Amino acid sequence: MAEKCAELGTRLYVPVRQLVIWPIAVELAETGYKKAGRPEDFNPTEQVRYLSSDQFGFSSNYMGWMWRERAAANIMVGAYWAESLQLAETGARIGTIQVGGTANIHQIPFFVAACDYALIGEEIFCAGAYLSKDAEMIGSLAGQDMGKLLGIVLILLGVIFVTAGSDILTKILSW
Amino acid sequence: MAWYRRVEIPIILTAVFCLFQLVPYFVVVPAWESAAKDFVDWDAVMETFALFIGFTTLLMLHGRIASQRRRGWYWSAWILITMIGYTLIGIPIPALGLGKGTKLFEAIRLYVLTPLSGAMYASLGFWIASAAYRAFRARTLEAGVLLLSGTLVMLANAPIGTAIWPRLHADKKMDLRRSEHVDDESERHWSSPRSPSPRG
């Protein structure tokens, strides 16, 4: 996204809630701008902002920032709780194009109701791979699917063994 | 490119430490669980040091906005005043009445921060009403059934539903102010009459 924004000359803002993520976010955004050949357009302090670690401190700051800048697009993908609807509704009032995605099942309905496009659960992991067609990302999805398959097989085996009165699988996993 | 700036290194580190935390959930090895817990403690220390990064970036950003009188500079000035003020109040100098747990620190937390959080949480009701008015349309039969069932569920969980029809009530009672894991810090927080419901 940073690369695309740099190519088009669109201002990118990245609100950050967890402090340990801030340097990573700066690095990712800066890399995107460098890939687009416009590193001089990137201002890490202005564009990647740590807002607050407090839930509603973050959401109130985010809402005010979005309102003042009149954001044209709002991409919310990740872990959200009660602030999801506040952010999505603020974007809706501004007239922002919104994409919302979270694995938190309690917040998905709010994103579906308030955002233009919603990603539900695992779709947030697939969206990037699907759009970019990046071989590594698609490969990581395939690996995750293999892990899920292994989990399903273990569950089925566990059900069968326990129903048959055997705890061998439990013992194997608890060595 | 220098070897320590290669992109693969953080990816490998992330994968290793994530697996290290994930495996104990499925395979019980006491030594491994102990090591995983140590890594969580290391993370807590890292986050504490990261506070300095956040403090510095906020100072730089809002200091520049306020000093240059850019659009919305008064909000930046207010952030600086509250951030620096509360930081100074939190410095552990008991002789001056400063520090965590002191009267002033707790007063700000209980009578300013907590009601503000509660107010923000309460405003969600208005946001939900606004989103519902915009989004809930019974365009199809299935949507109409979903709307009706959602209405019944909401009435069952609100006192007005029971007032309308006494047999319409939820079977379970939820205590929104308590969670299963309560420690001293959260006990003091939730025991305040102004504390909001837990985040959800």
Side-chain angles (χ1 to χ4, degrees):
Chain A
M1 201 156 30
E3 193 178 345
K4 187 60 73 177
C5 286
E7 282 174 17
L8 299 173
T10 304
R11 197 101 165 122
L12 171 73
Y13 291 117
V14 183
V16 171
R17 185 176 167 182
Q18 294 184 346
L19 283 159
V20 291
I21 299 299
W22 186 83
I24 301 170
V26 168
E27 193 69 30
L28 287 172
E30 192 173 10
T31 304
Y33 273 74
K34 283 179 181 172
K35 279 186 180 176
R38 302 177 76 159
E40 67 281 358
D41 290 344
F42 180 65
N43 187 333
T45 315
E46 296 271 344
Q47 292 181 248
V48 183
R49 296 187 190 179
Y50 163 69
L51 301 184
S52 173
S53 298
D54 180 70
Q55 180 183 16
F56 294 117
F58 173 80
S59 72
S60 56
N61 205 332
Y62 193 135
M63 288 192 284
W65 193 13
M66 205 163 35
W67 194 273
R68 281 190 297 275
E69 296 294 336
R70 282 292 187 263
N74 182 27
I75 316 292
M76 297 178 289
V77 178
Y80 287 89
W81 285 266
E83 71 274 13
S84 62
L85 187 61
Q86 293 177 334
L87 303 177
E89 273 298 293
T90 303
R93 284 175 181 230
I94 298 169
T96 310
I97 293 174
Q98 299 197 98
V99 177
T102 180
N104 187 346
I105 57 173
H106 300 290
Q107 306 305 321
I108 289 172
F110 299 131
F111 276 157
V112 170
C115 294
D116 299 291
Y117 304 96
L119 302 169
I120 299 174
E122 291 182 345
E123 291 174 357
I124 64 177
F125 304 111
C126 300
Y130 178 75
L131 291 172
S132 65
K133 302 282 191 289
D134 184 65
E136 286 178 8
M137 293 174 81
I138 295 173
S140 74
L141 285 182
Q144 288 170 37
D145 286 341
M146 289 297 117
K148 279 178 235 166
L149 192 61
L150 177 64
I152 292 169
V153 167
L154 284 173
I155 289 170
L156 287 173
L157 284 176
V159 166
I160 292 168
F161 279 120
V162 168
T163 307
S166 169
D167 61 350
I168 184 169
L169 196 61
T170 312
K171 283 182 183 170
I172 290 170
L173 293 176
S174 306
W175 55 269
Chain B
M1 181 190 287
W3 64 269
Y4 50 84
R5 289 185 65 89
R6 292 187 65 86
V7 164
E8 290 82 1
I9 292 177
I11 292 174
I12 291 170
L13 285 173
T14 306
V16 166
F17 283 105
C18 279
L19 280 173
F20 209 83
Q21 294 293 330
L22 198 62
V23 169
Y25 281 98
F26 301 100
V27 181
V28 179
V29 180
W32 196 325
E33 283 185 46
S34 172
K37 188 180 174 307
D38 287 341
F39 285 135
V40 172
D41 293 337
W42 293 2
D43 177 66
V45 173
M46 274 195 331
E47 291 199 19
T48 305
F49 278 100
L51 271 175
F52 292 107
I53 299 176
F55 191 85
T56 309
T57 55
L58 284 174
L59 267 180
M60 285 166 56
L61 171 69
H62 293 291
R64 192 181 309 137
I65 294 174
S67 63
Q68 293 174 358
R69 296 293 191 269
R70 283 158 51 180
R71 186 167 53 113
W73 68 270
Y74 30 88
W75 300 119
S76 293
W78 181 242
I79 285 176
L80 288 173
I81 291 169
T82 54
M83 184 176 73
I84 295 170
Y86 205 41
T87 302
L88 290 174
I89 291 169
I91 294 174
I93 308 176
L96 296 177
L98 302 176
K100 190 180 172 186
T102 57
K103 201 174 170 185
L104 182 58
F105 188 93
E106 289 298 312
I108 293 175
R109 187 175 70 84
L110 282 175
Y111 303 123
V112 177
L113 292 178
T114 304
L116 283 173
S117 293
M120 287 293 294
Y121 198 80
S123 70
L124 268 177
F126 298 100
W127 291 118
I128 289 175
S130 139
Y133 179 79
R134 230 186 39 251
F136 291 175
R137 294 284 185 268
R139 293 193 183 93
T140 62
L141 178 64
E142 290 82 5
V145 170
L146 181 61
L147 191 59
L148 182 64
S149 60
T151 306
L152 289 173
V153 168
M154 283 172 60
L155 283 175
N157 283 283
I160 191 169
T162 314
I164 294 171
W165 184 27
R167 300 188 71 177
L168 185 69
H169 65 275
D171 287 333
K172 58 180 172 61
K173 289 186 191 298
M174 279 198 302
D175 185 353
L176 295 177
R177 293 188 50 177
R178 295 284 177 183
S179 61
E180 290 180 5
H181 305 286
V182 178
D183 54 20
D184 290 338
E185 179 71 24
S186 59
E187 178 70 33
R188 278 191 297 139
H189 180 72
W190 299 128
S191 63
S192 164
R194 295 178 184 79
S195 67
S197 297
R199 49 179 285 177

PDB file of all heavy atoms in Angstrom, chain B residues 52-76:
ATOM      1  N   PHE B  52       9.768   4.913  25.695  1.00  0.00           N
ATOM      2  CA  PHE B  52      10.605   6.090  25.438  1.00  0.00           C
ATOM      3  C   PHE B  52      10.514   6.498  23.964  1.00  0.00           C
ATOM      4  O   PHE B  52      10.536   7.683  23.639  1.00  0.00           O
ATOM      5  CB  PHE B  52      12.052   5.794  25.820  1.00  0.00           C
ATOM      6  CG  PHE B  52      12.253   5.615  27.287  1.00  0.00           C
ATOM      7  CD1 PHE B  52      12.483   4.354  27.821  1.00  0.00           C
ATOM      8  CD2 PHE B  52      12.190   6.691  28.158  1.00  0.00           C
ATOM      9  CE1 PHE B  52      12.653   4.181  29.186  1.00  0.00           C
ATOM     10  CE2 PHE B  52      12.360   6.524  29.522  1.00  0.00           C
ATOM     11  CZ  PHE B  52      12.594   5.265  30.040  1.00  0.00           C
ATOM     12  N   ILE B  53      10.422   5.476  23.098  1.00  0.00           N
ATOM     13  CA  ILE B  53      10.288   5.796  21.673  1.00  0.00           C
ATOM     14  C   ILE B  53       8.988   6.546  21.437  1.00  0.00           C
ATOM     15  O   ILE B  53       8.948   7.571  20.733  1.00  0.00           O
ATOM     16  CB  ILE B  53      10.311   4.505  20.815  1.00  0.00           C
ATOM     17  CG1 ILE B  53      11.626   3.771  20.983  1.00  0.00           C
ATOM     18  CG2 ILE B  53      10.076   4.840  19.356  1.00  0.00           C
ATOM     19  CD1 ILE B  53      11.660   2.446  20.241  1.00  0.00           C
ATOM     20  N   GLY B  54       7.907   6.048  22.021  1.00  0.00           N
ATOM     21  CA  GLY B  54       6.606   6.699  21.840  1.00  0.00           C
ATOM     22  C   GLY B  54       6.597   8.106  22.395  1.00  0.00           C
ATOM     23  O   GLY B  54       6.097   9.040  21.756  1.00  0.00           O
ATOM     24  N   PHE B  55       7.166   8.265  23.568  1.00  0.00           N
ATOM     25  CA  PHE B  55       7.222   9.592  24.190  1.00  0.00           C
ATOM     26  C   PHE B  55       7.994  10.560  23.302  1.00  0.00           C
ATOM     27  O   PHE B  55       7.563  11.697  23.074  1.00  0.00           O
ATOM     28  CB  PHE B  55       7.881   9.455  25.572  1.00  0.00           C
ATOM     29  CG  PHE B  55       7.760  10.679  26.413  1.00  0.00           C
ATOM     30  CD1 PHE B  55       6.626  10.909  27.184  1.00  0.00           C
ATOM     31  CD2 PHE B  55       8.784  11.609  26.464  1.00  0.00           C
ATOM     32  CE1 PHE B  55       6.512  12.032  27.973  1.00  0.00           C
ATOM     33  CE2 PHE B  55       8.672  12.737  27.261  1.00  0.00           C
ATOM     34  CZ  PHE B  55       7.536  12.956  28.011  1.00  0.00           C
ATOM     35  N   THR B  56       9.111  10.116  22.794  1.00  0.00           N
ATOM     36  CA  THR B  56       9.957  10.978  21.971  1.00  0.00           C
ATOM     37  C   THR B  56       9.262  11.344  20.665  1.00  0.00           C
ATOM     38  O   THR B  56       9.282  12.515  20.254  1.00  0.00           O
ATOM     39  CB  THR B  56      11.287  10.271  21.655  1.00  0.00           C
ATOM     40  OG1 THR B  56      11.864   9.798  22.871  1.00  0.00           O
ATOM     41  CG2 THR B  56      12.252  11.208  20.970  1.00  0.00           C
ATOM     42  N   THR B  57       8.654  10.374  20.019  1.00  0.00           N
ATOM     43  CA  THR B  57       7.984  10.669  18.738  1.00  0.00           C
ATOM     44  C   THR B  57       6.820  11.621  18.944  1.00  0.00           C
ATOM     45  O   THR B  57       6.596  12.533  18.130  1.00  0.00           O
ATOM     46  CB  THR B  57       7.468   9.393  18.053  1.00  0.00           C
ATOM     47  OG1 THR B  57       6.621   8.683  18.953  1.00  0.00           O
ATOM     48  CG2 THR B  57       8.603   8.498  17.634  1.00  0.00           C
ATOM     49  N   LEU B  58       6.077  11.440  20.031  1.00  0.00           N
ATOM     50  CA  LEU B  58       4.966  12.351  20.294  1.00  0.00           C
ATOM     51  C   LEU B  58       5.475  13.764  20.587  1.00  0.00           C
ATOM     52  O   LEU B  58       4.903  14.756  20.119  1.00  0.00           O
ATOM     53  CB  LEU B  58       4.137  11.848  21.466  1.00  0.00           C
ATOM     54  CG  LEU B  58       3.205  10.673  21.177  1.00  0.00           C
ATOM     55  CD1 LEU B  58       2.552  10.177  22.449  1.00  0.00           C
ATOM     56  CD2 LEU B  58       2.154  11.026  20.162  1.00  0.00           C
ATOM     57  N   LEU B  59       6.557  13.844  21.338  1.00  0.00           N
ATOM     58  CA  LEU B  59       7.137  15.164  21.620  1.00  0.00           C
ATOM     59  C   LEU B  59       7.568  15.847  20.329  1.00  0.00           C
ATOM     60  O   LEU B  59       7.285  17.032  20.102  1.00  0.00           O
ATOM     61  CB  LEU B  59       8.354  15.001  22.537  1.00  0.00           C
ATOM     62  CG  LEU B  59       8.134  15.108  24.030  1.00  0.00           C
ATOM     63  CD1 LEU B  59       9.459  14.930  24.752  1.00  0.00           C
ATOM     64  CD2 LEU B  59       7.481  16.404  24.418  1.00  0.00           C
ATOM     65  N   MET B  60       8.261  15.095  19.483  1.00  0.00           N
ATOM     66  CA  MET B  60       8.775  15.675  18.236  1.00  0.00           C
ATOM     67  C   MET B  60       7.637  16.121  17.341  1.00  0.00           C
ATOM     68  O   MET B  60       7.628  17.240  16.816  1.00  0.00           O
ATOM     69  CB  MET B  60       9.635  14.642  17.495  1.00  0.00           C
ATOM     70  CG  MET B  60      11.002  14.425  18.121  1.00  0.00           C
ATOM     71  SD  MET B  60      11.810  12.944  17.487  1.00  0.00           S
ATOM     72  CE  MET B  60      11.806  13.267  15.735  1.00  0.00           C
ATOM     73  N   LEU B  61       6.645  15.246  17.175  1.00  0.00           N
ATOM     74  CA  LEU B  61       5.556  15.537  16.246  1.00  0.00           C
ATOM     75  C   LEU B  61       4.718  16.709  16.723  1.00  0.00           C
ATOM     76  O   LEU B  61       4.556  17.720  16.018  1.00  0.00           O
ATOM     77  CB  LEU B  61       4.682  14.289  16.104  1.00  0.00           C
ATOM     78  CG  LEU B  61       3.378  14.492  15.343  1.00  0.00           C
ATOM     79  CD1 LEU B  61       3.656  14.745  13.871  1.00  0.00           C
ATOM     80  CD2 LEU B  61       2.473  13.273  15.490  1.00  0.00           C
ATOM     81  N   HIS B  62       4.199  16.595  17.930  1.00  0.00           N
ATOM     82  CA  HIS B  62       3.271  17.630  18.403  1.00  0.00           C
ATOM     83  C   HIS B  62       3.996  18.910  18.790  1.00  0.00           C
ATOM     84  O   HIS B  62       3.424  20.001  18.706  1.00  0.00           O
ATOM     85  CB  HIS B  62       2.445  17.083  19.574  1.00  0.00           C
ATOM     86  CG  HIS B  62       1.507  15.991  19.161  1.00  0.00           C
ATOM     87  ND1 HIS B  62       0.408  16.223  18.362  1.00  0.00           N
ATOM     88  CD2 HIS B  62       1.530  14.661  19.392  1.00  0.00           C
ATOM     89  CE1 HIS B  62      -0.219  15.078  18.138  1.00  0.00           C
ATOM     90  NE2 HIS B  62       0.438  14.114  18.748  1.00  0.00           N
ATOM     91  N   GLY B  63       5.253  18.762  19.192  1.00  0.00           N
ATOM     92  CA  GLY B  63       6.045  19.969  19.443  1.00  0.00           C
ATOM     93  C   GLY B  63       6.230  20.776  18.177  1.00  0.00           C
ATOM     94  O   GLY B  63       6.114  22.013  18.183  1.00  0.00           O
ATOM     95  N   ARG B  64       6.480  20.076  17.068  1.00  0.00           N
ATOM     96  CA  ARG B  64       6.655  20.770  15.782  1.00  0.00           C
ATOM     97  C   ARG B  64       5.343  21.405  15.341  1.00  0.00           C
ATOM     98  O   ARG B  64       5.324  22.560  14.890  1.00  0.00           O
ATOM     99  CB  ARG B  64       7.131  19.779  14.723  1.00  0.00           C
ATOM    100  CG  ARG B  64       7.608  20.455  13.435  1.00  0.00           C
ATOM    101  CD  ARG B  64       8.052  19.432  12.406  1.00  0.00           C
ATOM    102  NE  ARG B  64       9.006  18.495  12.972  1.00  0.00           N
ATOM    103  CZ  ARG B  64       8.976  17.191  12.770  1.00  0.00           C
ATOM    104  NH1 ARG B  64       8.035  16.657  12.034  1.00  0.00           N
ATOM    105  NH2 ARG B  64       9.885  16.396  13.296  1.00  0.00           N
ATOM    106  N   ILE B  65       4.250  20.670  15.477  1.00  0.00           N
ATOM    107  CA  ILE B  65       2.949  21.216  15.054  1.00  0.00           C
ATOM    108  C   ILE B  65       2.588  22.441  15.879  1.00  0.00           C
ATOM    109  O   ILE B  65       2.141  23.468  15.346  1.00  0.00           O
ATOM    110  CB  ILE B  65       1.847  20.143  15.178  1.00  0.00           C
ATOM    111  CG1 ILE B  65       2.091  19.010  14.188  1.00  0.00           C
ATOM    112  CG2 ILE B  65       0.464  20.748  14.945  1.00  0.00           C
ATOM    113  CD1 ILE B  65       1.139  17.838  14.341  1.00  0.00           C
ATOM    114  N   ALA B  66       2.794  22.359  17.188  1.00  0.00           N
ATOM    115  CA  ALA B  66       2.418  23.477  18.057  1.00  0.00           C
ATOM    116  C   ALA B  66       3.332  24.674  17.823  1.00  0.00           C
ATOM    117  O   ALA B  66       2.873  25.818  17.788  1.00  0.00           O
ATOM    118  CB  ALA B  66       2.475  23.035  19.521  1.00  0.00           C
ATOM    119  N   SER B  67       4.611  24.420  17.660  1.00  0.00           N
ATOM    120  CA  SER B  67       5.542  25.552  17.507  1.00  0.00           C
ATOM    121  C   SER B  67       5.351  26.251  16.163  1.00  0.00           C
ATOM    122  O   SER B  67       5.539  27.465  16.060  1.00  0.00           O
ATOM    123  CB  SER B  67       6.985  25.072  17.640  1.00  0.00           C
ATOM    124  OG  SER B  67       7.287  24.164  16.610  1.00  0.00           O
ATOM    125  N   GLN B  68       4.952  25.514  15.146  1.00  0.00           N
ATOM    126  CA  GLN B  68       4.762  26.111  13.827  1.00  0.00           C
ATOM    127  C   GLN B  68       3.337  26.623  13.635  1.00  0.00           C
ATOM    128  O   GLN B  68       3.005  27.146  12.560  1.00  0.00           O
ATOM    129  CB  GLN B  68       5.079  25.078  12.729  1.00  0.00           C
ATOM    130  CG  GLN B  68       6.545  24.701  12.683  1.00  0.00           C
ATOM    131  CD  GLN B  68       6.816  23.581  11.685  1.00  0.00           C
ATOM    132  OE1 GLN B  68       5.903  23.051  11.047  1.00  0.00           O
ATOM    133  NE2 GLN B  68       8.072  23.210  11.543  1.00  0.00           N
ATOM    134  N   ARG B  69       2.513  26.471  14.666  1.00  0.00           N
ATOM    135  CA  ARG B  69       1.118  26.932  14.626  1.00  0.00           C
ATOM    136  C   ARG B  69       0.403  26.386  13.385  1.00  0.00           C
ATOM    137  O   ARG B  69      -0.352  27.094  12.719  1.00  0.00           O
ATOM    138  CB  ARG B  69       1.033  28.463  14.607  1.00  0.00           C
ATOM    139  CG  ARG B  69       1.565  29.150  15.840  1.00  0.00           C
ATOM    140  CD  ARG B  69       0.701  28.862  17.064  1.00  0.00           C
ATOM    141  NE  ARG B  69       1.067  29.711  18.179  1.00  0.00           N
ATOM    142  CZ  ARG B  69       1.967  29.402  19.096  1.00  0.00           C
ATOM    143  NH1 ARG B  69       2.591  28.224  19.042  1.00  0.00           N
ATOM    144  NH2 ARG B  69       2.254  30.237  20.061  1.00  0.00           N
ATOM    145  N   ARG B  70       0.596  25.120  13.139  1.00  0.00           N
ATOM    146  CA  ARG B  70      -0.085  24.498  11.989  1.00  0.00           C
ATOM    147  C   ARG B  70      -1.526  24.218  12.349  1.00  0.00           C
ATOM    148  O   ARG B  70      -1.942  24.370  13.499  1.00  0.00           O
ATOM    149  CB  ARG B  70       0.650  23.217  11.589  1.00  0.00           C
ATOM    150  CG  ARG B  70       1.915  23.516  10.809  1.00  0.00           C
ATOM    151  CD  ARG B  70       2.923  22.421  10.837  1.00  0.00           C
ATOM    152  NE  ARG B  70       2.362  21.121  10.487  1.00  0.00           N
ATOM    153  CZ  ARG B  70       3.102  20.021  10.458  1.00  0.00           C
ATOM    154  NH1 ARG B  70       4.385  20.058  10.724  1.00  0.00           N
ATOM    155  NH2 ARG B  70       2.573  18.869  10.146  1.00  0.00           N
ATOM    156  N   ARG B  71      -2.299  23.750  11.370  1.00  0.00           N
ATOM    157  CA  ARG B  71      -3.725  23.495  11.577  1.00  0.00           C
ATOM    158  C   ARG B  71      -3.925  22.526  12.732  1.00  0.00           C
ATOM    159  O   ARG B  71      -3.329  21.463  12.772  1.00  0.00           O
ATOM    160  CB  ARG B  71      -4.313  22.917  10.294  1.00  0.00           C
ATOM    161  CG  ARG B  71      -5.813  22.729  10.293  1.00  0.00           C
ATOM    162  CD  ARG B  71      -6.258  22.458   8.867  1.00  0.00           C
ATOM    163  NE  ARG B  71      -5.512  21.366   8.277  1.00  0.00           N
ATOM    164  CZ  ARG B  71      -6.046  20.198   7.948  1.00  0.00           C
ATOM    165  NH1 ARG B  71      -7.320  19.975   8.151  1.00  0.00           N
ATOM    166  NH2 ARG B  71      -5.309  19.253   7.407  1.00  0.00           N
ATOM    167  N   GLY B  72      -4.767  22.920  13.671  1.00  0.00           N
ATOM    168  CA  GLY B  72      -5.040  22.078  14.838  1.00  0.00           C
ATOM    169  C   GLY B  72      -3.914  22.102  15.856  1.00  0.00           C
ATOM    170  O   GLY B  72      -3.767  21.161  16.636  1.00  0.00           O
ATOM    171  N   TRP B  73      -3.108  23.145  15.903  1.00  0.00           N
ATOM    172  CA  TRP B  73      -1.952  23.189  16.800  1.00  0.00           C
ATOM    173  C   TRP B  73      -2.367  23.176  18.255  1.00  0.00           C
ATOM    174  O   TRP B  73      -1.625  22.696  19.121  1.00  0.00           O
ATOM    175  CB  TRP B  73      -1.085  24.427  16.515  1.00  0.00           C
ATOM    176  CG  TRP B  73      -1.747  25.718  16.865  1.00  0.00           C
ATOM    177  CD1 TRP B  73      -2.529  26.482  16.058  1.00  0.00           C
ATOM    178  CD2 TRP B  73      -1.704  26.398  18.120  1.00  0.00           C
ATOM    179  NE1 TRP B  73      -2.973  27.590  16.726  1.00  0.00           N
ATOM    180  CE2 TRP B  73      -2.481  27.560  17.993  1.00  0.00           C
ATOM    181  CE3 TRP B  73      -1.083  26.130  19.342  1.00  0.00           C
ATOM    182  CZ2 TRP B  73      -2.651  28.452  19.034  1.00  0.00           C
ATOM    183  CZ3 TRP B  73      -1.251  27.021  20.385  1.00  0.00           C
ATOM    184  CH2 TRP B  73      -2.035  28.179  20.226  1.00  0.00           C
ATOM    185  N   TYR B  74      -3.568  23.685  18.558  1.00  0.00           N
ATOM    186  CA  TYR B  74      -4.000  23.722  19.958  1.00  0.00           C
ATOM    187  C   TYR B  74      -4.219  22.310  20.498  1.00  0.00           C
ATOM    188  O   TYR B  74      -4.007  22.040  21.677  1.00  0.00           O
ATOM    189  CB  TYR B  74      -5.271  24.559  20.125  1.00  0.00           C
ATOM    190  CG  TYR B  74      -6.175  24.555  18.933  1.00  0.00           C
ATOM    191  CD1 TYR B  74      -7.161  23.579  18.772  1.00  0.00           C
ATOM    192  CD2 TYR B  74      -6.041  25.500  17.921  1.00  0.00           C
ATOM    193  CE1 TYR B  74      -7.972  23.555  17.667  1.00  0.00           C
ATOM    194  CE2 TYR B  74      -6.865  25.492  16.810  1.00  0.00           C
ATOM    195  CZ  TYR B  74      -7.817  24.513  16.685  1.00  0.00           C
ATOM    196  OH  TYR B  74      -8.617  24.476  15.579  1.00  0.00           O
ATOM    197  N   TRP B  75      -4.670  21.391  19.634  1.00  0.00           N
ATOM    198  CA  TRP B  75      -4.803  20.007  20.090  1.00  0.00           C
ATOM    199  C   TRP B  75      -3.442  19.410  20.411  1.00  0.00           C
ATOM    200  O   TRP B  75      -3.278  18.673  21.384  1.00  0.00           O
ATOM    201  CB  TRP B  75      -5.493  19.158  19.014  1.00  0.00           C
ATOM    202  CG  TRP B  75      -6.855  19.605  18.648  1.00  0.00           C
ATOM    203  CD1 TRP B  75      -7.293  20.019  17.421  1.00  0.00           C
ATOM    204  CD2 TRP B  75      -7.987  19.698  19.502  1.00  0.00           C
ATOM    205  NE1 TRP B  75      -8.609  20.367  17.467  1.00  0.00           N
ATOM    206  CE2 TRP B  75      -9.066  20.176  18.731  1.00  0.00           C
ATOM    207  CE3 TRP B  75      -8.208  19.431  20.850  1.00  0.00           C
ATOM    208  CZ2 TRP B  75     -10.332  20.389  19.252  1.00  0.00           C
ATOM    209  CZ3 TRP B  75      -9.473  19.637  21.375  1.00  0.00           C
ATOM    210  CH2 TRP B  75     -10.511  20.110  20.577  1.00  0.00           C
ATOM    211  N   SER B  76      -2.457  19.748  19.592  1.00  0.00           N
ATOM    212  CA  SER B  76      -1.107  19.250  19.864  1.00  0.00           C
ATOM    213  C   SER B  76      -0.572  19.827  21.166  1.00  0.00           C
ATOM    214  O   SER B  76       0.088  19.129  21.944  1.00  0.00           O
ATOM    215  CB  SER B  76      -0.173  19.618  18.717  1.00  0.00           C
ATOM    216  OG  SER B  76      -0.518  18.934  17.549  1.00  0.00           O
TER     217      SER B  76
END
